[in-house]
Amino acid sequence: MILELDCGNSYIKWRLVPPIAALAPIDGRAVDIGQLLDQVDTSAKCGLEKCRLVSVRSDSETDAIALRVSSELGVEVLRAMPATTLGGVTNGYLEPERLGLDRWLAMVAAFSLRRRACLVFDLGTAITVDLIAIDGRHLGGFITPGIPLMRDQLFGHTRRIRYEGPAESVLSDVSPGRSTAQAVEAGCLLMVRSYIGAQLDEASARLGNAFDVYATGGDAALVSDLPGVTCIPDLVFRGLAIACP
């Protein structure tokens, strides 16, 4: 069994991959390394062989996570590292080491599916957009705030926009809000969907008429109904398996 870790800005997402491909992985997310170890402890004792990890956190935070996992679970921790090429994809950043590793692995995984031009959205704390040409060249991308950051900006810079937690019931409803929660959530959702829609419209100018579109990340389901979008929640983990086979 392999433990996979995606250490993002807000959570540590994890899954346990069984040795038999027909069995579904066990997954979850934790706010910190202590909670992660509590969550995986029972399952991890049953034949855990190794761990592979991708992180967008600081080197010191990532080192601390890897050390705790290695010492408490008794396994080697393989870490995805920056690269100029991987899985047929060529990093398009002027400084390849500065491209977020979660974005990089999502691109590698997306291109590996059909080895065609593709547009990759990762919707989490931030929203990233990346374009990969048919020959695997990364043409660059865009980064904008995601819904969590939009909420935080409104809460931090207005006095009267306050409500308890996200209004989950309106996350798929863009009707005009009749409460502050509904108005904020519907407004943020409209901004995200409009932005993704504009990217879809513009992509053909850069990728041609034949390209695939993939969405991943915690909020990917919010745009999964848009034309041509394929939602693959574990795209980063798939890329991690390519980087650390």
Side-chain angles (χ1 to χ4, degrees):
M1 187 174 291
I2 299 172
L3 173 62
E4 296 181 328
L5 303 178
D6 175 7
C7 305
N9 293 300
S10 301
Y11 298 98
I12 302 174
K13 295 176 282 292
W14 62 269
R15 73 176 184 178
L16 287 163
V17 182
I20 302 173
L23 298 178
I26 303 168
D27 59 20
R29 69 179 187 177
V31 295
D32 55 35
I33 183 59
Q35 187 180 63
L36 166 72
L37 291 170
D38 288 342
Q39 290 174 354
V40 304
D41 183 59
T42 301
S43 300
K45 287 179 179 177
C46 303
L48 186 63
E49 298 174 1
K50 64 180 177 181
C51 171
R52 48 194 177 212
L53 175 154
V54 58
S55 176
V56 297
R57 302 189 178 193
S58 68
D59 290 343
S60 59
E61 287 181 283
T62 304
D63 289 343
I65 291 170
L67 181 61
R68 286 281 303 275
V69 170
S70 178
S71 61
E72 299 198 24
L73 297 180
V75 293
E76 179 186 8
V77 178
L78 306 176
R79 291 165 60 170
M81 302 300 288
T84 55
T85 60
L86 178 66
V89 180
T90 302
N91 193 319
Y93 258 31
L94 300 176
E95 299 176 85
E97 68 279 4
R98 298 187 65 85
L99 175 64
L101 283 171
D102 52 350
R103 287 173 63 191
W104 175 236
L105 296 184
M107 286 190 281
V108 169
F111 186 73
S112 73
L113 293 173
R114 299 181 65 189
R115 303 191 78 82
R116 286 166 35 109
C118 50
L119 182 63
V120 182
F121 299 110
D122 191 334
L123 293 91
T125 303
I127 296 172
T128 62
V129 182
D130 287 287
L131 301 97
I132 301 96
I134 193 169
D135 61 0
R137 286 180 301 116
H138 174 219
L139 303 181
F142 305 95
I143 304 173
T144 59
I147 287 180
L149 288 180
M150 292 182 196
R151 286 193 199 104
D152 288 348
Q153 286 297 302
L154 286 170
F155 293 166
H157 295 278
T158 58
R159 294 179 181 273
R160 299 182 66 89
I161 294 183
R162 297 289 184 275
Y163 55 92
E164 292 298 322
E168 300 293 345
S169 62
V170 299
L171 281 176
S172 59
D173 182 3
V174 292
S175 302
R178 301 187 66 184
S179 69
T180 298
Q182 291 176 339
V184 169
E185 297 300 321
C188 290
L189 178 59
L190 272 173
M191 289 187 69
V192 168
R193 288 174 63 87
S194 296
Y195 173 65
I196 298 301
Q199 291 289 343
L200 291 169
D201 290 342
E202 292 291 330
S204 59
R206 300 180 175 89
L207 298 177
N209 294 322
F211 61 92
D212 298 322
V213 182
Y214 301 103
T216 193
D219 284 334
L222 301 182
V223 298
S224 61
D225 63 318
L226 294 178
V229 175
T230 300
C231 185
I232 304 181
D234 66 344
L235 204 55
V236 173
F237 282 135
R238 295 188 189 199
L240 181 56
I242 295 172
C244 303

